[in-house]
Amino acid sequence: MRQPNNKSFVRGLKQANIMQKCRHYSLMNENAKVITRLKDLEHEAKNWTEDFSSYALDLYNDFRIIAQGCQVKSNGDLGYEVVESGDKHVVDLLRKKYTCRTWDMTEIPSPHTIKSLLHDKQEPLNEMHWWYSKEAYMLVYMHKIQPVRGEKFWKVDPSHAMELPEIHKMVGRPKVKKNKEKE
């Protein structure tokens, strides 16, 4: 067996140590970026003038403009048939479902739903899901990431030390090693 060259071995250790330090500084940098990003998002939410996120309100306003071109026909219950440029959609306000499924997926009232709610004399904005609200947004960003001191300050408690798992005998017939000889 060949003995490792002492110089190359030391060089490899130095490279590994440098790479570990680079990873450590990179993680510290990423942690600082995340902390800054969370702080910025919380500050942005505090400055909202409405009760819902700007993304949700922009989408809602676009849907409301599209809803102006729709016609509504009631089917008697809380269901409506909404016609938009030749396409027909059935909206069930009681179950909050309809054939286009945009309302099901986004929880933001779609153009057909908005037109049906306005026909039923309800406020469509009340049907927007709570998770788009300022309150929900602030609850997400209220917990802060606390900075952690470097690894050299970490104390390793013996009770938290990792131990090897127990070795269990495998079930079944043991594998037989066969020596293959070259002929």
Side-chain angles (χ1 to χ4, degrees):
M1 182 173 192
R2 190 174 144 229
Q3 294 293 327
N5 186 349
N6 199 16
K7 289 180 184 178
S8 65
F9 181 72
V10 171
R11 190 178 322 126
L13 284 178
K14 285 182 181 178
Q15 286 177 348
N17 192 15
I18 290 170
M19 289 180 67
Q20 183 179 8
K21 285 182 181 179
C22 288
R23 273 191 240 115
H24 177 70
Y25 290 126
S26 175
L27 287 174
M28 286 175 40
N29 192 18
E30 290 299 317
N31 192 16
K33 286 180 185 177
V34 169
I35 290 171
T36 305
R37 174 88 171 129
L38 292 175
K39 185 181 76 167
D40 292 344
L41 289 171
E42 183 183 24
H43 181 69
E44 176 188 324
K46 284 181 180 177
N47 294 331
W48 286 357
T49 56
E50 302 289 331
D51 290 335
F52 293 101
S53 74
S54 59
Y55 163 76
L57 286 176
D58 288 346
L59 193 58
Y60 171 77
N61 290 331
D62 291 345
F63 285 167
R64 197 161 179 132
I65 292 168
I66 295 169
Q68 293 174 354
C70 299
Q71 288 85 30
V72 179
K73 297 176 187 172
S74 176
N75 71 355
D77 291 334
L78 284 176
Y80 296 94
E81 183 179 284
V82 182
V83 179
E84 176 198 2
S85 66
D87 294 333
K88 293 182 181 180
H89 298 280
V90 177
V91 179
D92 187 354
L93 295 178
L94 191 61
R95 292 189 303 166
K96 293 187 176 185
K97 300 216 181 261
Y98 79 110
T99 55
C100 187
R101 292 188 27 216
T102 303
W103 192 17
D104 296 338
M105 293 187 292
T106 63
E107 295 288 335
I108 297 173
S110 65
H112 315 105
T113 308
I114 291 172
K115 193 66 172 182
S116 300
L117 288 166
L118 291 173
H119 186 269
D120 202 36
K121 295 181 176 49
Q122 295 181 28
E123 176 57 41
L125 201 55
N126 294 341
E127 296 300 322
M128 192 175 302
H129 200 279
W130 174 79
W131 65 53
Y132 292 110
S133 70
K134 183 176 184 175
E135 177 188 0
Y137 203 84
M138 294 305 290
L139 284 174
V140 168
Y141 293 109
M142 76 180 208
H143 302 288
K144 307 293 186 270
I145 295 178
Q146 301 300 325
V148 179
R149 295 178 75 183
E151 286 184 42
K152 68 179 182 180
F153 297 106
W154 297 354
K155 294 180 183 174
V156 178
D157 190 9
S159 64
H160 294 165
M162 293 182 65
E163 297 177 12
L164 293 174
E166 293 181 23
I167 298 174
H168 297 285
K169 186 174 181 182
M170 300 299 288
V171 179
R173 185 175 178 189
K175 302 276 185 194
V176 177
K177 262 190 184 177
K178 294 184 179 179
N179 293 332
K180 295 183 180 179
E181 296 178 11
K182 292 183 182 179
E183 294 180 16

